[in-house]
Amino acid sequence: VNVTISRFRKAQLASLFNINPDQVSVIPPGVDWDRFLRLTPQTLRLTTLMNLGAKYPILLQPIRITQRKNIELSLEILGHLKQILPNIALIVTGPEGAHNPKNTEYKAKLIELRRQLGLEKTVYFAAEYSSQPLSEWVVGDFYRIADAILLTSTEEGFGLPLIEAAYSKTPVFCSHLDVFHEIGEEDISYFRLDASPIDIAYMIASKLGR
């Protein structure tokens, strides 16, 4: 049995031994991503439950579930993105916001919308997997795992995820809010809230190189 680590080496080996390339198998090396990224045990458990090793790209919403975060728009965007990027995933890290009892009802509506859009294996709410809010260490892990941040808020007083994304060198796609422009300036990608979800989806896909 002839085994090599890449198609490049396969061609070289077949030429060197003067054998049919079909007689050479390619088994590439891999990276143990949890060790390489130094993921916490809780992060590793969540990534396994969400099957994130098979997902790309991974979008992150490091937010609590409150109506002003406009998460329903995110789901609608993901519904279109999934047609372009079938293995895409979106992770919402926070639980319901604690200051408004209507947030529990809002979460239920989001879960139903997720079902209607067929996104049960695409959109993940961390609160469904953990009874406690994620620690800052776990949220930091998700910044390193994520390929981009998605923020669809209708109103914000600040935008801490933009600063965290800058430190983790993670691209940001966010709604066209003055405060986001104040923080992110021209270094992030904006979309208008009156834009159609499909147009936003195509913008994100094009920026991600698809």
Side-chain angles (χ1 to χ4, degrees):
V1 178
N2 301 290
V3 177
T4 187
I5 60 173
S6 65
R7 291 192 299 272
F8 173 71
R9 289 296 189 208
K10 173 180 178 175
Q12 286 186 319
L13 187 66
S15 176
L16 179 65
F17 291 164
N18 193 27
I19 59 176
N20 190 315
D22 292 339
Q23 295 178 264
V24 183
S25 298
V26 176
I27 302 178
V31 175
D32 191 337
W33 79 324
D34 58 308
R35 292 183 63 188
F36 183 77
L37 295 175
R38 298 184 180 181
L39 303 181
T40 65
Q42 185 183 12
T43 306
L44 183 58
R45 183 181 76 86
L46 292 171
T47 59
T48 300
L49 290 172
M50 298 174 185
N51 193 30
L52 294 186
K55 302 295 185 178
Y56 177 82
I58 296 172
L59 304 185
L60 181 68
Q61 286 196 317
I63 58 172
R64 288 183 177 269
I65 299 172
T66 62
Q67 293 191 43
R68 67 184 173 86
K69 302 297 184 181
N70 197 23
I71 301 170
E72 58 269 34
L73 174 57
S74 301
L75 269 62
E76 292 169 2
I77 293 168
L78 264 289
H80 294 291
L81 275 172
K82 189 178 179 182
Q83 305 305 312
I84 310 167
L85 303 161
N87 295 318
I88 195 170
L90 171 69
I91 304 161
V92 181
T93 61
E96 301 99 306
H99 303 297
N100 188 338
K102 292 184 177 181
N103 287 332
T104 299
E105 180 183 345
Y106 179 55
K107 178 185 173 185
K109 289 181 178 179
L110 292 173
I111 291 174
E112 172 59 18
L113 178 60
R114 179 179 65 180
R115 186 196 65 79
Q116 292 175 7
L117 294 173
L119 298 174
E120 293 93 335
K121 296 183 179 180
T122 301
V123 176
Y124 301 93
F125 296 99
E128 294 182 287
Y129 300 88
S130 176
S131 59
Q132 298 295 322
L134 302 186
S135 71
E136 61 183 36
W137 307 111
V138 175
V139 174
D141 282 345
F142 277 111
Y143 270 96
R144 290 188 290 277
I145 293 169
D147 298 292
I149 308 301
L150 175 62
L151 301 172
T152 49
S153 303
T154 58
E155 190 273 329
E156 292 288 350
F158 194 65
L160 187 60
L162 302 188
I163 297 175
E164 294 170 334
Y167 276 114
S168 61
K169 297 181 173 59
T170 310
V172 176
F173 300 97
C174 69
S175 48
H176 181 74
L177 299 182
D178 288 344
V179 70
F180 285 167
H181 277 278
E182 179 182 337
I183 299 166
E185 297 182 349
E186 301 305 318
D187 295 326
I188 58 181
S189 299
Y190 302 94
F191 52 83
R192 299 192 66 84
L193 286 169
D194 58 1
S196 69
I198 190 170
D199 287 342
I200 299 171
Y202 274 107
M203 182 272 286
I204 292 173
S206 68
K207 293 279 187 177
L208 291 175
R210 294 298 177 96

mmCIF file of all heavy atoms in Angstrom, residues 2-37:
data_model
loop_
_atom_site.group_PDB
_atom_site.id
_atom_site.type_symbol
_atom_site.label_atom_id
_atom_site.label_comp_id
_atom_site.label_asym_id
_atom_site.label_seq_id
_atom_site.Cartn_x
_atom_site.Cartn_y
_atom_site.Cartn_z
ATOM 1 N N ASN A 2 0.600 2.176 -0.906
ATOM 2 C CA ASN A 2 1.360 3.416 -0.989
ATOM 3 C C ASN A 2 0.488 4.560 -0.498
ATOM 4 O O ASN A 2 -0.616 4.764 -0.992
ATOM 5 C CB ASN A 2 1.793 3.686 -2.434
ATOM 6 C CG ASN A 2 2.652 2.559 -2.998
ATOM 7 O OD1 ASN A 2 3.792 2.380 -2.595
ATOM 8 N ND2 ASN A 2 2.084 1.785 -3.913
ATOM 9 N N VAL A 3 1.005 5.297 0.478
ATOM 10 C CA VAL A 3 0.245 6.393 1.080
ATOM 11 C C VAL A 3 1.105 7.645 1.106
ATOM 12 O O VAL A 3 2.307 7.587 1.437
ATOM 13 C CB VAL A 3 -0.195 6.046 2.524
ATOM 14 C CG1 VAL A 3 -0.930 7.226 3.152
ATOM 15 C CG2 VAL A 3 -1.078 4.806 2.534
ATOM 16 N N THR A 4 0.499 8.786 0.763
ATOM 17 C CA THR A 4 1.214 10.060 0.853
ATOM 18 C C THR A 4 0.261 11.127 1.375
ATOM 19 O O THR A 4 -0.926 10.875 1.558
ATOM 20 C CB THR A 4 1.801 10.451 -0.506
ATOM 21 O OG1 THR A 4 2.637 11.603 -0.360
ATOM 22 C CG2 THR A 4 0.692 10.764 -1.503
ATOM 23 N N ILE A 5 0.782 12.327 1.642
ATOM 24 C CA ILE A 5 0.006 13.327 2.373
ATOM 25 C C ILE A 5 -0.698 14.347 1.486
ATOM 26 O O ILE A 5 -1.472 15.162 1.981
ATOM 27 C CB ILE A 5 0.903 14.074 3.387
ATOM 28 C CG1 ILE A 5 2.046 14.797 2.675
ATOM 29 C CG2 ILE A 5 1.431 13.126 4.441
ATOM 30 C CD1 ILE A 5 2.880 15.690 3.608
ATOM 31 N N SER A 6 -0.442 14.347 0.173
ATOM 32 C CA SER A 6 -1.081 15.329 -0.707
ATOM 33 C C SER A 6 -1.081 14.816 -2.138
ATOM 34 O O SER A 6 -0.324 13.895 -2.483
ATOM 35 C CB SER A 6 -0.346 16.675 -0.644
ATOM 36 O OG SER A 6 0.977 16.543 -1.173
ATOM 37 N N ARG A 7 -1.928 15.403 -2.969
ATOM 38 C CA ARG A 7 -1.954 15.022 -4.383
ATOM 39 C C ARG A 7 -0.623 15.363 -5.050
ATOM 40 O O ARG A 7 -0.183 14.664 -5.967
ATOM 41 C CB ARG A 7 -3.118 15.724 -5.086
ATOM 42 C CG ARG A 7 -4.495 15.229 -4.647
ATOM 43 C CD ARG A 7 -5.603 15.728 -5.574
ATOM 44 N NE ARG A 7 -5.695 17.181 -5.591
ATOM 45 C CZ ARG A 7 -6.426 17.896 -4.753
ATOM 46 N NH1 ARG A 7 -7.118 17.286 -3.798
ATOM 47 N NH2 ARG A 7 -6.476 19.222 -4.846
ATOM 48 N N PHE A 8 0.015 16.442 -4.585
ATOM 49 C CA PHE A 8 1.319 16.833 -5.121
ATOM 50 C C PHE A 8 2.341 15.725 -4.881
ATOM 51 O O PHE A 8 3.061 15.308 -5.796
ATOM 52 C CB PHE A 8 1.764 18.139 -4.468
ATOM 53 C CG PHE A 8 3.160 18.561 -4.805
ATOM 54 C CD1 PHE A 8 3.479 19.031 -6.070
ATOM 55 C CD2 PHE A 8 4.174 18.491 -3.852
ATOM 56 C CE1 PHE A 8 4.770 19.415 -6.393
ATOM 57 C CE2 PHE A 8 5.463 18.880 -4.163
ATOM 58 C CZ PHE A 8 5.763 19.336 -5.432
ATOM 59 N N ARG A 9 2.390 15.223 -3.636
ATOM 60 C CA ARG A 9 3.319 14.148 -3.313
ATOM 61 C C ARG A 9 2.917 12.841 -4.013
ATOM 62 O O ARG A 9 3.760 12.019 -4.362
ATOM 63 C CB ARG A 9 3.381 13.943 -1.809
ATOM 64 C CG ARG A 9 4.087 15.055 -1.052
ATOM 65 C CD ARG A 9 5.548 15.144 -1.433
ATOM 66 N NE ARG A 9 6.275 16.059 -0.547
ATOM 67 C CZ ARG A 9 7.352 16.736 -0.916
ATOM 68 N NH1 ARG A 9 7.812 16.608 -2.161
ATOM 69 N NH2 ARG A 9 7.968 17.537 -0.076
ATOM 70 N N LYS A 10 1.617 12.649 -4.191
ATOM 71 C CA LYS A 10 1.131 11.462 -4.890
ATOM 72 C C LYS A 10 1.710 11.398 -6.302
ATOM 73 O O LYS A 10 2.203 10.343 -6.738
ATOM 74 C CB LYS A 10 -0.397 11.481 -4.941
ATOM 75 C CG LYS A 10 -1.023 10.384 -5.787
ATOM 76 C CD LYS A 10 -2.550 10.492 -5.763
ATOM 77 C CE LYS A 10 -3.181 9.431 -6.639
ATOM 78 N NZ LYS A 10 -4.665 9.443 -6.523
ATOM 79 N N ALA A 11 1.645 12.526 -7.014
ATOM 80 C CA ALA A 11 2.191 12.566 -8.376
ATOM 81 C C ALA A 11 3.691 12.302 -8.369
ATOM 82 O O ALA A 11 4.215 11.574 -9.227
ATOM 83 C CB ALA A 11 1.881 13.917 -9.012
ATOM 84 N N GLN A 12 4.382 12.879 -7.391
ATOM 85 C CA GLN A 12 5.831 12.663 -7.307
ATOM 86 C C GLN A 12 6.156 11.198 -7.033
ATOM 87 O O GLN A 12 7.065 10.625 -7.642
ATOM 88 C CB GLN A 12 6.422 13.537 -6.195
ATOM 89 C CG GLN A 12 6.508 15.016 -6.530
ATOM 90 C CD GLN A 12 7.228 15.800 -5.446
ATOM 91 O OE1 GLN A 12 7.021 15.554 -4.254
ATOM 92 N NE2 GLN A 12 8.081 16.724 -5.853
ATOM 93 N N LEU A 13 5.407 10.599 -6.101
ATOM 94 C CA LEU A 13 5.669 9.209 -5.730
ATOM 95 C C LEU A 13 5.396 8.269 -6.898
ATOM 96 O O LEU A 13 6.174 7.346 -7.171
ATOM 97 C CB LEU A 13 4.808 8.822 -4.527
ATOM 98 C CG LEU A 13 5.081 7.458 -3.897
ATOM 99 C CD1 LEU A 13 6.469 7.441 -3.265
ATOM 100 C CD2 LEU A 13 4.031 7.130 -2.847
ATOM 101 N N ALA A 14 4.283 8.510 -7.609
ATOM 102 C CA ALA A 14 3.955 7.664 -8.745
ATOM 103 C C ALA A 14 5.024 7.763 -9.820
ATOM 104 O O ALA A 14 5.400 6.752 -10.444
ATOM 105 C CB ALA A 14 2.594 8.060 -9.304
ATOM 106 N N SER A 15 5.526 8.962 -10.031
ATOM 107 C CA SER A 15 6.581 9.157 -11.031
ATOM 108 C C SER A 15 7.883 8.494 -10.598
ATOM 109 O O SER A 15 8.560 7.834 -11.389
ATOM 110 C CB SER A 15 6.797 10.652 -11.269
ATOM 111 O OG SER A 15 7.870 10.879 -12.154
ATOM 112 N N LEU A 16 8.223 8.648 -9.321
ATOM 113 C CA LEU A 16 9.479 8.091 -8.808
ATOM 114 C C LEU A 16 9.492 6.575 -8.880
ATOM 115 O O LEU A 16 10.488 5.964 -9.280
ATOM 116 C CB LEU A 16 9.679 8.541 -7.363
ATOM 117 C CG LEU A 16 10.940 8.025 -6.655
ATOM 118 C CD1 LEU A 16 12.197 8.580 -7.334
ATOM 119 C CD2 LEU A 16 10.918 8.413 -5.175
ATOM 120 N N PHE A 17 8.378 5.943 -8.518
ATOM 121 C CA PHE A 17 8.306 4.478 -8.509
ATOM 122 C C PHE A 17 7.786 3.903 -9.826
ATOM 123 O O PHE A 17 7.684 2.695 -9.974
ATOM 124 C CB PHE A 17 7.399 4.014 -7.374
ATOM 125 C CG PHE A 17 7.965 4.238 -6.000
ATOM 126 C CD1 PHE A 17 7.141 4.179 -4.888
ATOM 127 C CD2 PHE A 17 9.313 4.507 -5.808
ATOM 128 C CE1 PHE A 17 7.644 4.385 -3.611
ATOM 129 C CE2 PHE A 17 9.837 4.713 -4.540
ATOM 130 C CZ PHE A 17 9.006 4.656 -3.438
ATOM 131 N N ASN A 18 7.412 4.832 -10.765
ATOM 132 C CA ASN A 18 6.898 4.408 -12.066
ATOM 133 C C ASN A 18 5.686 3.492 -11.903
ATOM 134 O O ASN A 18 5.624 2.392 -12.456
ATOM 135 C CB ASN A 18 7.986 3.707 -12.891
ATOM 136 C CG ASN A 18 7.572 3.551 -14.354
ATOM 137 O OD1 ASN A 18 6.779 4.342 -14.879
ATOM 138 N ND2 ASN A 18 8.102 2.529 -15.009
ATOM 139 N N ILE A 19 4.732 3.958 -11.106
ATOM 140 C CA ILE A 19 3.515 3.183 -10.865
ATOM 141 C C ILE A 19 2.296 4.025 -11.240
ATOM 142 O O ILE A 19 2.386 5.244 -11.405
ATOM 143 C CB ILE A 19 3.406 2.738 -9.393
ATOM 144 C CG1 ILE A 19 3.393 3.974 -8.464
ATOM 145 C CG2 ILE A 19 4.534 1.785 -9.022
ATOM 146 C CD1 ILE A 19 3.182 3.625 -7.005
ATOM 147 N N ASN A 20 1.157 3.357 -11.353
ATOM 148 C CA ASN A 20 -0.095 4.045 -11.641
ATOM 149 C C ASN A 20 -0.478 4.903 -10.443
ATOM 150 O O ASN A 20 -0.466 4.413 -9.297
ATOM 151 C CB ASN A 20 -1.198 3.022 -11.928
ATOM 152 C CG ASN A 20 -2.458 3.664 -12.474
ATOM 153 O OD1 ASN A 20 -2.918 4.691 -11.971
ATOM 154 N ND2 ASN A 20 -3.028 3.055 -13.504
ATOM 155 N N PRO A 21 -0.825 6.179 -10.650
ATOM 156 C CA PRO A 21 -1.228 7.030 -9.509
ATOM 157 C C PRO A 21 -2.387 6.450 -8.702
ATOM 158 O O PRO A 21 -2.518 6.733 -7.513
ATOM 159 C CB PRO A 21 -1.621 8.350 -10.187
ATOM 160 C CG PRO A 21 -0.827 8.378 -11.442
ATOM 161 C CD PRO A 21 -0.769 6.946 -11.900
ATOM 162 N N ASP A 22 -3.220 5.606 -9.340
ATOM 163 C CA ASP A 22 -4.334 4.999 -8.616
ATOM 164 C C ASP A 22 -3.854 4.051 -7.525
ATOM 165 O O ASP A 22 -4.634 3.659 -6.638
ATOM 166 C CB ASP A 22 -5.252 4.243 -9.574
ATOM 167 C CG ASP A 22 -6.001 5.176 -10.524
ATOM 168 O OD1 ASP A 22 -6.113 6.376 -10.180
ATOM 169 O OD2 ASP A 22 -6.471 4.714 -11.573
ATOM 170 N N GLN A 23 -2.593 3.676 -7.574
ATOM 171 C CA GLN A 23 -2.029 2.796 -6.552
ATOM 172 C C GLN A 23 -1.547 3.563 -5.329
ATOM 173 O O GLN A 23 -1.035 2.969 -4.392
ATOM 174 C CB GLN A 23 -0.862 1.986 -7.138
ATOM 175 C CG GLN A 23 -1.265 1.016 -8.240
ATOM 176 C CD GLN A 23 -0.070 0.288 -8.799
ATOM 177 O OE1 GLN A 23 0.506 0.673 -9.818
ATOM 178 N NE2 GLN A 23 0.337 -0.774 -8.109
ATOM 179 N N VAL A 24 -1.723 4.891 -5.357
ATOM 180 C CA VAL A 24 -1.275 5.737 -4.242
ATOM 181 C C VAL A 24 -2.489 6.400 -3.597
ATOM 182 O O VAL A 24 -3.291 7.048 -4.283
ATOM 183 C CB VAL A 24 -0.282 6.818 -4.719
ATOM 184 C CG1 VAL A 24 0.224 7.638 -3.524
ATOM 185 C CG2 VAL A 24 0.878 6.185 -5.471
ATOM 186 N N SER A 25 -2.646 6.231 -2.300
ATOM 187 C CA SER A 25 -3.727 6.869 -1.545
ATOM 188 C C SER A 25 -3.221 8.144 -0.884
ATOM 189 O O SER A 25 -2.048 8.229 -0.494
ATOM 190 C CB SER A 25 -4.268 5.922 -0.468
ATOM 191 O OG SER A 25 -4.824 4.760 -1.049
ATOM 192 N N VAL A 26 -4.106 9.118 -0.794
ATOM 193 C CA VAL A 26 -3.763 10.389 -0.144
ATOM 194 C C VAL A 26 -4.498 10.476 1.190
ATOM 195 O O VAL A 26 -5.720 10.400 1.245
ATOM 196 C CB VAL A 26 -4.147 11.594 -1.031
ATOM 197 C CG1 VAL A 26 -3.872 12.911 -0.285
ATOM 198 C CG2 VAL A 26 -3.375 11.552 -2.337
ATOM 199 N N ILE A 27 -3.733 10.614 2.255
ATOM 200 C CA ILE A 27 -4.294 10.818 3.600
ATOM 201 C C ILE A 27 -3.641 12.068 4.174
ATOM 202 O O ILE A 27 -2.503 12.010 4.657
ATOM 203 C CB ILE A 27 -4.054 9.608 4.518
ATOM 204 C CG1 ILE A 27 -4.660 8.345 3.903
ATOM 205 C CG2 ILE A 27 -4.656 9.869 5.900
ATOM 206 C CD1 ILE A 27 -4.436 7.089 4.723
ATOM 207 N N PRO A 28 -4.320 13.214 4.085
ATOM 208 C CA PRO A 28 -3.695 14.463 4.555
ATOM 209 C C PRO A 28 -3.604 14.516 6.072
ATOM 210 O O PRO A 28 -4.421 13.898 6.774
ATOM 211 C CB PRO A 28 -4.632 15.546 4.017
ATOM 212 C CG PRO A 28 -5.953 14.857 3.891
ATOM 213 C CD PRO A 28 -5.656 13.430 3.527
ATOM 214 N N PRO A 29 -2.627 15.232 6.603
ATOM 215 C CA PRO A 29 -2.555 15.434 8.045
ATOM 216 C C PRO A 29 -3.662 16.382 8.504
ATOM 217 O O PRO A 29 -4.278 17.073 7.687
ATOM 218 C CB PRO A 29 -1.173 16.058 8.259
ATOM 219 C CG PRO A 29 -0.881 16.736 6.962
ATOM 220 C CD PRO A 29 -1.535 15.890 5.903
ATOM 221 N N GLY A 30 -3.925 16.421 9.778
ATOM 222 C CA GLY A 30 -4.967 17.292 10.305
ATOM 223 C C GLY A 30 -4.481 18.088 11.498
ATOM 224 O O GLY A 30 -3.356 17.924 11.963
ATOM 225 N N VAL A 31 -5.367 18.958 11.974
ATOM 226 C CA VAL A 31 -5.068 19.792 13.141
ATOM 227 C C VAL A 31 -6.135 19.535 14.195
ATOM 228 O O VAL A 31 -7.335 19.538 13.873
ATOM 229 C CB VAL A 31 -5.046 21.288 12.763
ATOM 230 C CG1 VAL A 31 -4.863 22.153 14.008
ATOM 231 C CG2 VAL A 31 -3.932 21.573 11.762
ATOM 232 N N ASP A 32 -5.733 19.285 15.406
ATOM 233 C CA ASP A 32 -6.656 19.139 16.527
ATOM 234 C C ASP A 32 -7.078 20.538 16.938
ATOM 235 O O ASP A 32 -6.389 21.216 17.685
ATOM 236 C CB ASP A 32 -5.964 18.413 17.682
ATOM 237 C CG ASP A 32 -6.924 18.001 18.775
ATOM 238 O OD1 ASP A 32 -8.006 18.621 18.867
ATOM 239 O OD2 ASP A 32 -6.587 17.099 19.557
ATOM 240 N N TRP A 33 -8.243 20.991 16.411
ATOM 241 C CA TRP A 33 -8.576 22.415 16.507
ATOM 242 C C TRP A 33 -8.804 22.881 17.930
ATOM 243 O O TRP A 33 -8.511 24.013 18.274
ATOM 244 C CB TRP A 33 -9.751 22.763 15.582
ATOM 245 C CG TRP A 33 -11.127 22.418 16.069
ATOM 246 C CD1 TRP A 33 -11.512 21.352 16.802
ATOM 247 C CD2 TRP A 33 -12.295 23.198 15.834
ATOM 248 N NE1 TRP A 33 -12.859 21.388 17.019
ATOM 249 C CE2 TRP A 33 -13.370 22.510 16.439
ATOM 250 C CE3 TRP A 33 -12.553 24.392 15.154
ATOM 251 C CZ2 TRP A 33 -14.685 22.990 16.398
ATOM 252 C CZ3 TRP A 33 -13.855 24.863 15.108
ATOM 253 C CH2 TRP A 33 -14.904 24.159 15.730
ATOM 254 N N ASP A 34 -9.328 22.020 18.821
ATOM 255 C CA ASP A 34 -9.556 22.464 20.190
ATOM 256 C C ASP A 34 -8.240 22.719 20.911
ATOM 257 O O ASP A 34 -8.126 23.655 21.703
ATOM 258 C CB ASP A 34 -10.429 21.461 20.955
ATOM 259 C CG ASP A 34 -9.817 20.081 20.991
ATOM 260 O OD1 ASP A 34 -9.458 19.573 19.918
ATOM 261 O OD2 ASP A 34 -9.705 19.505 22.089
ATOM 262 N N ARG A 35 -7.222 21.902 20.623
ATOM 263 C CA ARG A 35 -5.900 22.140 21.225
ATOM 264 C C ARG A 35 -5.231 23.349 20.585
ATOM 265 O O ARG A 35 -4.619 24.170 21.269
ATOM 266 C CB ARG A 35 -5.023 20.900 21.079
ATOM 267 C CG ARG A 35 -5.495 19.704 21.902
ATOM 268 C CD ARG A 35 -4.554 18.536 21.768
ATOM 269 N NE ARG A 35 -3.234 18.865 22.282
ATOM 270 C CZ ARG A 35 -2.179 18.059 22.150
ATOM 271 N NH1 ARG A 35 -2.289 16.907 21.518
ATOM 272 N NH2 ARG A 35 -1.008 18.419 22.639
ATOM 273 N N PHE A 36 -5.349 23.446 19.253
ATOM 274 C CA PHE A 36 -4.699 24.556 18.551
ATOM 275 C C PHE A 36 -5.281 25.898 18.999
ATOM 276 O O PHE A 36 -4.546 26.867 19.211
ATOM 277 C CB PHE A 36 -4.880 24.385 17.044
ATOM 278 C CG PHE A 36 -4.192 25.434 16.222
ATOM 279 C CD1 PHE A 36 -2.821 25.389 16.023
ATOM 280 C CD2 PHE A 36 -4.907 26.469 15.640
ATOM 281 C CE1 PHE A 36 -2.182 26.359 15.262
ATOM 282 C CE2 PHE A 36 -4.283 27.448 14.887
ATOM 283 C CZ PHE A 36 -2.908 27.387 14.694
ATOM 284 N N LEU A 37 -6.612 25.958 19.142
ATOM 285 C CA LEU A 37 -7.273 27.197 19.550
ATOM 286 C C LEU A 37 -7.406 27.312 21.066
ATOM 287 O O LEU A 37 -7.888 28.332 21.565
ATOM 288 C CB LEU A 37 -8.672 27.271 18.912
ATOM 289 C CG LEU A 37 -8.718 27.377 17.394
ATOM 290 C CD1 LEU A 37 -10.153 27.314 16.896
ATOM 291 C CD2 LEU A 37 -8.043 28.652 16.908
#
